[in-house]
Short mmCIF file of all heavy atoms in Angstrom, two decimals:
data_model
loop_
_atom_site.label_atom_id
_atom_site.label_comp_id
_atom_site.label_asym_id
_atom_site.label_seq_id
_atom_site.Cartn_x
_atom_site.Cartn_y
_atom_site.Cartn_z
N VAL A 217 19.77 -21.69 1.16
CA VAL A 217 20.07 -21.94 2.49
C VAL A 217 21.65 -22.21 2.74
O VAL A 217 22.03 -22.88 3.72
CB VAL A 217 19.29 -23.10 3.17
CG1 VAL A 217 19.30 -22.97 4.70
CG2 VAL A 217 17.94 -22.99 2.74
N GLN A 218 22.43 -21.66 1.80
CA GLN A 218 23.88 -21.87 1.91
C GLN A 218 24.52 -20.50 2.14
O GLN A 218 25.44 -20.31 2.91
CB GLN A 218 24.41 -22.54 0.59
CG GLN A 218 23.88 -23.84 0.34
CD GLN A 218 24.27 -24.82 1.43
OE1 GLN A 218 25.42 -24.81 1.99
NE2 GLN A 218 23.38 -25.74 1.84
N ARG A 219 23.93 -19.39 1.42
CA ARG A 219 24.46 -18.07 1.71
C ARG A 219 23.62 -17.43 2.66
O ARG A 219 22.42 -17.45 2.57
CB ARG A 219 24.46 -17.34 0.28
CG ARG A 219 25.44 -17.91 -0.82
CD ARG A 219 25.19 -17.36 -2.04
NE ARG A 219 23.85 -17.70 -2.59
CZ ARG A 219 23.08 -16.79 -3.28
NH1 ARG A 219 23.71 -15.60 -3.72
NH2 ARG A 219 21.98 -17.16 -3.70
N MET A 220 24.23 -16.75 3.53
CA MET A 220 23.49 -15.96 4.61
C MET A 220 24.38 -14.83 5.10
O MET A 220 25.68 -14.82 4.99
CB MET A 220 23.11 -16.92 5.72
CG MET A 220 24.31 -17.66 6.49
SD MET A 220 23.68 -18.98 7.52
CE MET A 220 22.93 -20.13 6.33
N VAL A 221 23.65 -13.75 5.65
CA VAL A 221 24.26 -12.61 6.15
C VAL A 221 23.71 -12.43 7.59
O VAL A 221 22.51 -12.27 7.84
CB VAL A 221 24.00 -11.36 5.32
CG1 VAL A 221 24.60 -10.11 6.01
CG2 VAL A 221 24.57 -11.54 3.92
N SER A 222 24.55 -12.23 8.54
CA SER A 222 24.17 -11.94 9.92
C SER A 222 24.01 -10.45 10.12
O SER A 222 24.77 -9.62 9.78
CB SER A 222 25.32 -12.48 10.97
OG SER A 222 24.92 -12.03 12.29
N LEU A 223 22.77 -10.08 10.70
CA LEU A 223 22.56 -8.67 10.88
C LEU A 223 22.83 -8.34 12.30
O LEU A 223 22.97 -7.11 12.76
CB LEU A 223 21.06 -8.38 10.63
CG LEU A 223 20.72 -8.50 9.14
CD1 LEU A 223 19.14 -8.06 8.97
CD2 LEU A 223 21.64 -7.63 8.20
N GLY A 224 22.92 -9.20 13.29
CA GLY A 224 23.37 -8.91 14.76
C GLY A 224 22.45 -9.78 15.58
O GLY A 224 21.59 -10.62 15.26
N THR A 225 22.77 -9.51 16.96
CA THR A 225 22.03 -10.34 17.94
C THR A 225 20.66 -9.56 18.49
O THR A 225 20.67 -8.33 18.32
CB THR A 225 22.93 -10.57 19.17
OG1 THR A 225 23.37 -9.29 19.72
CG2 THR A 225 24.20 -11.33 18.72
N MET A 226 19.90 -10.29 18.92
CA MET A 226 18.55 -9.76 19.36
C MET A 226 18.29 -10.04 20.87
O MET A 226 18.46 -11.13 21.39
CB MET A 226 17.39 -10.37 18.50
CG MET A 226 16.02 -9.97 18.95
SD MET A 226 14.68 -10.63 17.93
CE MET A 226 13.29 -9.95 18.60
N GLU A 227 17.99 -8.89 21.56
CA GLU A 227 17.64 -8.95 22.91
C GLU A 227 16.24 -8.50 23.12
O GLU A 227 15.87 -7.53 22.48
CB GLU A 227 18.74 -8.12 23.80
CG GLU A 227 20.01 -8.68 23.62
CD GLU A 227 21.05 -7.78 24.46
OE1 GLU A 227 20.60 -6.83 25.21
OE2 GLU A 227 22.29 -8.03 24.46
N GLY A 228 15.50 -9.06 24.00
CA GLY A 228 14.25 -8.67 24.24
C GLY A 228 13.21 -9.16 23.20
O GLY A 228 13.47 -10.16 22.43
N THR A 229 12.00 -8.53 23.10
CA THR A 229 10.99 -8.98 22.17
C THR A 229 11.04 -8.13 20.80
O THR A 229 10.33 -8.47 19.98
CB THR A 229 9.57 -8.72 22.80
OG1 THR A 229 9.48 -7.33 23.19
CG2 THR A 229 9.38 -9.67 24.03
N GLU A 230 12.09 -7.23 20.57
CA GLU A 230 12.04 -6.40 19.50
C GLU A 230 13.55 -6.19 19.19
O GLU A 230 14.33 -5.75 20.08
CB GLU A 230 11.20 -5.14 19.52
CG GLU A 230 11.29 -4.41 18.24
CD GLU A 230 10.41 -3.21 18.15
OE1 GLU A 230 9.17 -3.25 18.42
OE2 GLU A 230 10.92 -2.10 17.97
N GLY A 231 13.94 -6.20 17.86
CA GLY A 231 15.21 -5.72 17.45
C GLY A 231 15.12 -4.95 16.09
O GLY A 231 14.21 -5.30 15.29
N ARG A 232 15.96 -4.01 15.96
CA ARG A 232 16.06 -3.26 14.75
C ARG A 232 17.52 -3.31 14.21
O ARG A 232 18.48 -3.06 14.89
CB ARG A 232 15.78 -1.76 14.95
CG ARG A 232 14.28 -1.52 15.43
CD ARG A 232 13.93 -0.05 15.75
NE ARG A 232 12.51 0.20 15.95
CZ ARG A 232 11.68 0.40 14.89
NH1 ARG A 232 12.08 0.61 13.67
NH2 ARG A 232 10.36 0.63 15.17
N PHE A 233 17.62 -3.54 12.90
CA PHE A 233 18.91 -3.82 12.31
C PHE A 233 18.92 -3.12 10.98
O PHE A 233 18.08 -3.27 10.14
CB PHE A 233 18.96 -5.45 12.07
CG PHE A 233 18.81 -6.19 13.30
CD1 PHE A 233 17.51 -6.70 13.66
CD2 PHE A 233 19.92 -6.50 14.17
CE1 PHE A 233 17.37 -7.48 14.76
CE2 PHE A 233 19.69 -7.16 15.28
CZ PHE A 233 18.40 -7.62 15.66
N THR A 234 20.03 -2.51 10.72
CA THR A 234 20.36 -1.77 9.54
C THR A 234 20.70 -2.84 8.39
O THR A 234 21.68 -3.64 8.66
CB THR A 234 21.41 -0.79 9.75
OG1 THR A 234 20.97 0.17 10.62
CG2 THR A 234 21.65 -0.03 8.34
N ILE A 235 20.01 -2.76 7.27
CA ILE A 235 20.31 -3.70 6.16
C ILE A 235 21.50 -2.95 5.31
O ILE A 235 21.29 -1.81 4.96
CB ILE A 235 19.14 -3.89 5.31
CG1 ILE A 235 18.00 -4.56 6.20
CG2 ILE A 235 19.35 -4.79 4.11
CD1 ILE A 235 16.68 -4.71 5.50
N PRO A 236 22.49 -3.67 4.97
CA PRO A 236 23.57 -3.18 4.15
C PRO A 236 22.98 -2.60 2.80
O PRO A 236 22.11 -3.18 2.32
CB PRO A 236 24.55 -4.19 3.90
CG PRO A 236 24.31 -5.19 5.17
CD PRO A 236 22.89 -5.04 5.42
N ALA A 237 23.53 -1.51 2.39
CA ALA A 237 23.07 -0.80 1.27
C ALA A 237 23.17 -1.59 0.04
O ALA A 237 22.34 -1.53 -0.90
CB ALA A 237 23.68 0.60 1.06
N ASN A 238 24.17 -2.44 -0.04
CA ASN A 238 24.48 -3.16 -1.27
C ASN A 238 23.79 -4.53 -1.20
O ASN A 238 24.11 -5.47 -2.06
CB ASN A 238 25.94 -3.19 -1.60
CG ASN A 238 26.69 -3.90 -0.41
OD1 ASN A 238 26.23 -4.15 0.66
ND2 ASN A 238 27.94 -4.15 -0.60
N LEU A 239 23.09 -4.86 -0.17
CA LEU A 239 22.41 -6.24 -0.01
C LEU A 239 21.11 -6.27 -0.82
O LEU A 239 20.26 -5.51 -0.53
CB LEU A 239 22.27 -6.53 1.42
CG LEU A 239 21.69 -7.97 1.64
CD1 LEU A 239 22.69 -9.01 1.25
CD2 LEU A 239 21.29 -8.06 3.17
N ASP A 240 21.04 -7.18 -1.78
CA ASP A 240 19.80 -7.42 -2.56
C ASP A 240 18.84 -8.36 -1.77
O ASP A 240 19.22 -9.54 -1.70
CB ASP A 240 20.18 -7.98 -3.94
CG ASP A 240 18.95 -7.88 -4.84
OD1 ASP A 240 17.95 -7.64 -4.37
OD2 ASP A 240 19.07 -8.26 -6.04
N LEU A 241 17.67 -7.79 -1.42
CA LEU A 241 16.78 -8.59 -0.62
C LEU A 241 16.21 -9.74 -1.52
O LEU A 241 15.69 -10.65 -0.96
CB LEU A 241 15.70 -7.74 -0.01
CG LEU A 241 16.15 -6.94 1.16
CD1 LEU A 241 14.93 -6.14 1.64
CD2 LEU A 241 16.70 -7.79 2.32
N ASP A 242 16.24 -9.56 -2.80
CA ASP A 242 15.58 -10.52 -3.70
C ASP A 242 16.50 -11.82 -3.61
O ASP A 242 15.99 -12.99 -3.86
CB ASP A 242 15.63 -10.06 -5.16
CG ASP A 242 14.53 -8.99 -5.31
OD1 ASP A 242 13.37 -9.13 -4.50
OD2 ASP A 242 14.59 -8.14 -6.18
N GLU A 243 17.80 -11.63 -3.26
CA GLU A 243 18.75 -12.76 -3.17
C GLU A 243 18.80 -13.24 -1.79
O GLU A 243 19.15 -14.50 -1.53
CB GLU A 243 20.09 -12.32 -3.60
CG GLU A 243 20.29 -11.91 -5.17
CD GLU A 243 21.69 -11.59 -5.47
OE1 GLU A 243 22.67 -11.92 -4.60
OE2 GLU A 243 21.92 -11.16 -6.48
N TYR A 244 18.38 -12.54 -0.86
CA TYR A 244 18.34 -12.87 0.52
C TYR A 244 16.99 -12.57 1.21
O TYR A 244 16.89 -11.82 2.05
CB TYR A 244 19.42 -12.33 1.38
CG TYR A 244 20.80 -12.64 0.88
CD1 TYR A 244 21.41 -11.89 -0.16
CD2 TYR A 244 21.52 -13.71 1.46
CE1 TYR A 244 22.72 -12.23 -0.56
CE2 TYR A 244 22.82 -13.99 1.09
CZ TYR A 244 23.41 -13.18 -0.01
OH TYR A 244 24.69 -13.45 -0.39
N PRO A 245 15.85 -13.44 0.82
CA PRO A 245 14.55 -13.00 1.20
C PRO A 245 14.18 -13.55 2.61
O PRO A 245 13.19 -13.38 3.19
CB PRO A 245 13.75 -13.53 0.14
CG PRO A 245 14.44 -14.70 -0.45
CD PRO A 245 15.85 -14.40 -0.34
N ILE A 246 14.97 -14.66 3.07
CA ILE A 246 14.66 -15.41 4.23
C ILE A 246 15.00 -14.86 5.46
O ILE A 246 16.22 -14.50 5.68
CB ILE A 246 15.12 -16.91 4.15
CG1 ILE A 246 14.63 -17.60 2.89
CG2 ILE A 246 14.72 -17.63 5.36
CD1 ILE A 246 15.27 -18.89 2.73
#
Side-chain angles (χ1 to χ4, degrees):
V217 198
Q218 299 298 319
R219 294 170 297 149
M220 58 190 68
V221 177
S222 173
L223 297 183
T225 60
M226 180 177 179
E227 298 181 2
T229 58
E230 180 177 303
R232 292 178 174 270
F233 307 92
T234 299
I235 301 174
N238 59 349
L239 182 66
D240 188 353
L241 290 178
D242 289 330
E243 295 185 10
Y244 296 87
I246 301 174

